[in-house]
Amino acid sequence: MKVTLTVIKADIGAIGGHICPSQRLLEAVDNYVTEHGAKLVVDSYLSYTGDDIAIVATHTRGANDQAVHRLCWDAFIAGTEVAKSQGLYGAGQDLLKDSFSGNVRGMGPAVAELEFEERPNEPFLFFAADKTDPGAYNFPLYMAFADPMNTPGLMLSPSMAQGFRFVIMDVSDTEGDRVIELQAPEDLYSIATLLRDPERYVVESVWSRSTDEQAAAVSTSRLHNIAGKYTGKDDPVMLVRVQKDFPATGEVLAPYAIGPFVAGAMRGSHQMPLMPVPLNSGISYFDGPPVVSCAAFAMHKGKMTEPVDAFAHPFWDTVRDNVSKKAIDMRRQGFFGAAMLPMSELEYTGIVEKLETLDRRFAVRATSRPSDALRRAGS
Ligand code: 13P
Ligand code: 13P
Ligand code: MG
Ligand code: MG
């Protein structure tokens, strides 16, 4: 059976600033999908990560399906009404357009979709991250799909040993989806050269070279240009199929133990370590740290099992402690250097405006340094 996995997420309002959605908001979105999606989707699952709500839907209608996208859009509209009625902060934040037009790509919500012939057993992982951007997945995807130090399957499994194809987008291009396809392991250094810069070059998908099946889909988009202006960090979702011709679940999860520094946290303008958290976790310290959750599923004929919370296991408590330490260490240096993002990535205009004002006050000295002038006069 050919199945499509669609995940669409949006921030449509939160309690206490950007912490997490309200129960009533979640119920409104869930009820809408259940009531209106019965004939459209085989199964669905709703969760939140920080202030973002994600709808995971399984169906047989293919990627970019107008009806499925509209269902999620309308569910978020219904949720936004509740958010407004409760006075939630940022009600409808990610719904950037007034009316739905075909599919939600480019309209604000994040989208990741996989279409495949279902295997007799079909394990997959659904990741959602808040207070960061799609480039946050560059590092864990490189480790899981290209690095035998992390993924022994690349040596042990003959099918995985044929490598994986990375589709990487240059998100700075304003005209269209500018992508490149690179093959691991032959193009490893080229892949590394691009993924080094996660604000510009972002993994969009990963494909098995032995079967040509898609392994991973990330909600990568030309994030700077949705709605014609910079719209923030675009908290990303991701789907990853696991086992057999794909990395094992443990190989996909392992890189998150490192807690890499990613863009995001406070005002979307800092570098902070990524913390793996249980499903339905909110946000706290410094509007962060950036968080990532993972729900593991098995699926049969499009019907999902209950989610298993991949980062709830006690192992991740130590990781969370380490990430907290890294976060506090980084915050000690406030706005200096690496703690804050470069100018092009700042989500607010304040610094740019201030620099423009200051720039007018800079002057090039008419003479050389005073000390030089004195020295010349004295000698
Ligand atoms: P399978 O034997 O089910 O492929 O599992 C192997 C594995 O995932 C070990 O990490
Ligand atoms: P979100 O993008 O998750 O809404 O966070 C906004 C922010 O800037 C928090 O400081
Ligand atoms: Mg928000
Ligand atoms: Mg968010």
Side-chain angles (χ1 to χ4, degrees), residues 11 51-52 130-131 235:
D11 174 352
D51 59 4
D52 295 292
D130 185 34
K131 304 296 183 273
D235 307 320

Side-chain angles (χ1 to χ4, degrees), residues 30 33 42 69 82 111 146 151 155 159 166 217 226 230 255 283 309 319 354 360 369:
D30 203 20
V33 175
V42 180
H69 280 226
V82 173
V111 189
T151 301
M155 299 178 290
S159 119
F166 284 71
I226 287 176
Y230 188 75
I283 289 296
D309 191 339
V319 172
K354 172 71 79 186
R360 289 195 282 278
R369 287 176 299 155

Side-chain angles (χ1 to χ4, degrees), residues 160-181:
M160 282 176 62
Q162 293 182 44
F164 290 89
R165 184 167 76 249
F166 284 71
V167 180
I168 298 166
M169 188 187 288
D170 174 358
V171 298
S172 75
D173 195 276
T174 53
E175 300 304 319
D177 289 352
R178 190 160 181 264
V179 294
I180 186 171
E181 293 193 7

